[in-house]
């Protein structure tokens, strides 16, 4: 302890001497500058030279001080490590573990190889007798993405909406063609299925920023086509795809028709804490420690176009309250929430009422009279925000 006390005293004395030395030399130098300026104003070069010397002197002394301070801190570290070795060892281990977890968080978030054949076998829309084009998208960072565009025949494709489908964090677009089949026939829409980077036949590696670039590439591609109605593009995302959709709509709010999100989360740090709640202290971990953020709850407030929020109330992976929070925070001029009592995280689309209410939402978007009613002050609250509940359990009982 005497050694630590002596080191602290030494730091105080060095600091005091440094301050006095700098103030003394600066005062003398500036007095010389004043005398030189009054003696001969033409000696500006000399004055400039003296200023440079003063700055160099201060910089030199400061570097010496910082070097000495570094020596002190290093000595304090060695001393504290000698006194409390177990504390420092545990701290260093924790830092190392956090660093490893931070750099490997993508392993927990993205699952492009589940199921195992997802990178090898991708079903074709032709298996469901759907007409399609295979599209190779190129993102802004030159990553090639695999995608399918399924269009309605002839002139119908120009008159109906185009749903841009962003899937969850596992599998590939081939495993979502069955959903596209129902949307194509029941809702009478075009469907553009986009495969994220690192998934299926797409190049690259998954990442949050990468997913955002993938979504932008898909929208920009569709906006440049002349065989679909570019005024009726509707991004549609499931699970993590919902977070991708919210970010996309936040950027292209004025160029999109509406959006649909299903069983998605408010933010990745929040859902991460929820899924790993068994880890002591996880709820106190700052968000900065999460490599992926997907802050949907912050972005949803800036979106004004119509939105459909589909929530499976039996979802045990993402709490339905997160979907409700997104719905409540949304500032969409027209928003609908479809709550399906039997829907879990992956099978909500298989439940009765799913496609029926999706079609109802799309039809409301096309209803001119509805837009007029929505603008009326006395109808604003009842028409702007509605919650639809489908509960077949009570019906069977």
């Amino acid at each position: 302890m005497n050694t630590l006390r002596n080191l602290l005293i030494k730091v105080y004395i060095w600091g005091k001497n440094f301050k006095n030395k700098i103030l003394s030399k600066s005062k003398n130098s500036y007095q010389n500058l004043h005398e030189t300026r009054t003696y001969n104003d033409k000696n500006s070069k000399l004055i400039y030279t003296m200023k440079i010397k003063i700055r160099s002197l201060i910089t030199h002394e400061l570097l010496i001080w910082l070097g000495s301070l570094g020596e002190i801190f290093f000595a304090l570290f060695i001393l504290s490590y000698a006194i409390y070795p177990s504390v420092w060892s545990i701290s260093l281990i924790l830092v190392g573990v956090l660093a490893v977890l931070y750099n490997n968080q993508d392993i927990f978030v993205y699952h492009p190889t589940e199921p195992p054949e997802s990178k090898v076998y991708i079903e074709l829309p032709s298996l469901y007798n759907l007409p399609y084009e295979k599209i190779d998208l190129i993102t802004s960072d030159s990553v090639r993405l695999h995608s399918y565009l399924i269009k309605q025949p002839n002139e119908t494709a120009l008159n109906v909406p185009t749903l841009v489908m962003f899937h969850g964090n596992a599998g590939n677009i081939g495993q979502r063609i069955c959903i596209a089949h129902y949307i194509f026939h029941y809702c009478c829409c075009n469907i553009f299925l986009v495969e994220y980077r690192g998934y299926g036949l797409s190049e690259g590696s998954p990442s949050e920023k990468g997913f955002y670039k993938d979504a932008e590439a898909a929208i920009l591609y569709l906006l440049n086509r002349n065989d679909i109605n570019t005024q009726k593009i509707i991004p549609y995302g499931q699970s993590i795809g919902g977070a991708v959709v919210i970010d996309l709509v936040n950027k292209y709010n004025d160029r999109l028709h509406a959006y649909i999100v299903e069983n998605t989360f408010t933010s990745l740090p929040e859902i991460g804490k929820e899924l790993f709640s068994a880890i002591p202290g996880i709820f106190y971990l700052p968000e900065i420690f999460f490599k992926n953020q997907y802050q949907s709850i912050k972005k949803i407030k800036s979106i004004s176009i119509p939105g459909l929020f589909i929530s499976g109330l039996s979802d045990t992976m993402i709490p339905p309250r997160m979907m409700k929070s997104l719905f409540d925070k949304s500032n969409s001029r027209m928003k609908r929430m479809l709550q399906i009592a039997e829907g879990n995280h992956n099978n909500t689309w298989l439940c009765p009422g799913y496609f029926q209410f999706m079609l109802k939402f799309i039809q409301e978007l096309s209803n001119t009279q509805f837009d007029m009613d929505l603008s009326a002050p006395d109808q604003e609250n009842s028409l702007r925000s509605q919650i639809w509940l489908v509960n077949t359990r009570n019906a069977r009982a």
Side-chain angles (χ1 to χ4, degrees):
M1 294 305 296
N2 289 332
T3 305
L4 179 60
R5 181 183 176 186
N6 292 335
L7 286 173
L8 294 174
I9 293 173
K10 189 176 180 181
V11 171
Y12 173 76
I13 294 173
W14 279 356
K16 189 174 182 180
N17 291 338
F18 171 75
K19 177 182 177 182
N20 294 334
K21 188 175 182 180
I22 291 298
L23 290 176
S24 175
K25 290 187 177 182
S26 299
K27 183 177 180 181
N28 293 335
S29 298
Y30 278 109
Q31 285 178 350
N32 292 336
L33 283 175
H34 180 70
E35 292 173 0
T36 303
R37 187 181 294 109
T38 57
Y39 178 77
N40 190 356
D41 291 335
K42 294 182 180 180
N43 294 332
S44 58
K45 185 175 181 180
L46 177 62
I47 295 173
Y48 177 76
T49 303
M50 293 186 69
K51 286 182 178 180
I52 295 297
K53 288 182 178 180
I54 292 172
R55 291 171 185 169
S56 299
L57 175 64
I58 293 174
T59 303
H60 178 69
E61 294 292 339
L62 184 61
L63 289 174
I64 292 175
W65 168 252
L66 290 175
S68 301
L69 197 61
E71 292 178 359
I72 295 299
F73 278 117
F74 181 73
L76 289 173
F77 168 74
I78 296 299
L79 181 63
S80 62
Y81 185 78
I83 298 173
Y84 305 107
S86 58
V87 173
W88 276 102
S89 298
I90 293 173
S91 300
L92 291 173
I93 291 172
L94 286 175
V95 170
V97 169
L98 286 174
V100 171
L101 288 175
Y102 182 87
N103 289 321
N104 290 277
Q105 282 180 32
D106 290 350
I107 297 174
F108 300 102
V109 177
Y110 308 109
H111 303 283
T113 57
E114 292 183 10
E117 68 275 8
S118 296
K119 296 284 289 180
V120 181
Y121 177 69
I122 294 89
E123 290 186 354
L124 298 173
S126 56
L127 293 174
Y128 293 83
N129 295 317
L130 294 172
Y132 76 100
E133 297 177 40
K134 181 181 177 297
I135 308 294
D136 285 335
L137 294 175
I138 304 298
T139 65
S140 59
D141 55 346
S142 302
V143 176
R144 187 189 64 82
L145 304 179
H146 177 237
S147 60
Y148 296 140
L149 177 59
I150 303 170
K151 287 194 312 173
Q152 296 288 334
N154 305 323
E155 295 297 320
T156 306
L158 280 168
N159 299 320
V160 299
T162 299
L163 269 64
V164 190
M165 187 172 183
F166 298 97
H167 59 79
N169 69 337
N172 56 52
I173 57 175
Q175 294 157 2
R176 276 77 182 185
I177 294 177
C178 188
I179 301 175
H181 169 80
Y182 286 105
I183 294 174
F184 181 85
H185 289 290
Y186 192 87
C187 300
C188 194
C189 294
N190 306 316
I191 306 99
F192 190 33
L193 294 102
V194 182
E195 206 159 57
Y196 306 122
R197 61 185 62 205
Y199 283 72
L201 299 179
S202 294
E203 298 175 348
S205 300
S207 69
E208 180 179 2
K209 290 182 179 179
F211 277 18
Y212 295 158
K213 290 179 180 179
D214 297 346
E216 287 191 65
I219 291 301
L220 293 175
Y221 171 79
L222 289 179
L223 288 172
N224 287 316
R225 288 190 68 115
N226 56 12
D227 55 350
I228 64 168
N229 190 336
T230 56
Q231 302 298 316
K232 292 185 176 181
I233 296 176
I234 303 175
Y236 160 46
Q238 298 175 319
S239 190
I240 200 171
V244 174
V245 164
I246 290 172
D247 178 82
L248 177 67
V249 178
N250 185 48
K251 296 173 182 173
Y252 291 86
N253 184 76
D254 297 330
R255 303 183 70 180
L256 298 171
H257 191 42
Y259 66 100
I260 301 173
V261 292
E262 175 188 333
N263 292 337
T264 191
F265 43 79
T266 49
S267 72
L268 203 65
E270 187 173 352
I271 189 61
K273 293 175 182 180
E274 190 81 25
L275 294 175
F276 297 97
S277 57
I279 300 176
I282 187 69
F283 288 99
Y284 301 101
L285 190 66
E287 290 187 349
I288 194 173
F289 287 97
F290 290 85
K291 183 178 180 181
N292 298 276
Q293 293 287 319
Y294 292 103
Q295 291 287 351
S296 298
I297 195 66
K298 296 179 181 178
K299 300 171 186 175
I300 198 74
K301 302 174 184 177
S302 303
I303 297 174
S304 61
I305 62 173
L308 172 62
F309 299 75
I310 304 175
S311 176
L313 298 183
S314 297
D315 190 343
T316 57
M317 183 173 293
I318 297 178
R321 61 176 172 78
M322 291 192 177
M323 282 295 296
K324 187 63 167 59
S325 296
L326 290 170
F327 177 76
D328 291 338
K329 294 290 185 181
S330 168
N331 286 317
S332 294
R333 60 179 179 267
M334 187 266 276
K335 57 183 180 180
R336 301 287 181 263
M337 177 163 230
L338 172 60
Q339 295 179 325
I340 301 180
E342 291 184 300
N344 62 36
H345 190 68
N346 294 314
N347 81 340
T348 303
W349 68 276
L350 289 170
C351 296
Y354 184 93
F355 295 104
Q356 290 88 336
F357 280 97
M358 182 182 287
L359 175 61
K360 181 179 180 181
F361 173 73
I362 294 171
Q363 289 173 339
E364 285 185 344
L365 296 174
S366 305
N367 191 334
T368 307
Q369 183 61 41
F370 177 83
D371 292 336
M372 295 173 61
D373 292 340
L374 188 61
S375 63
D378 58 336
Q379 297 292 335
E380 184 175 355
N381 291 332
S382 60
L383 291 179
R384 177 178 174 270
S385 177
Q386 294 180 6
I387 296 179
W388 302 326
L389 175 63
V390 177
N391 190 349
T392 55
R393 292 172 180 168
N394 292 342
R396 284 199 300 266

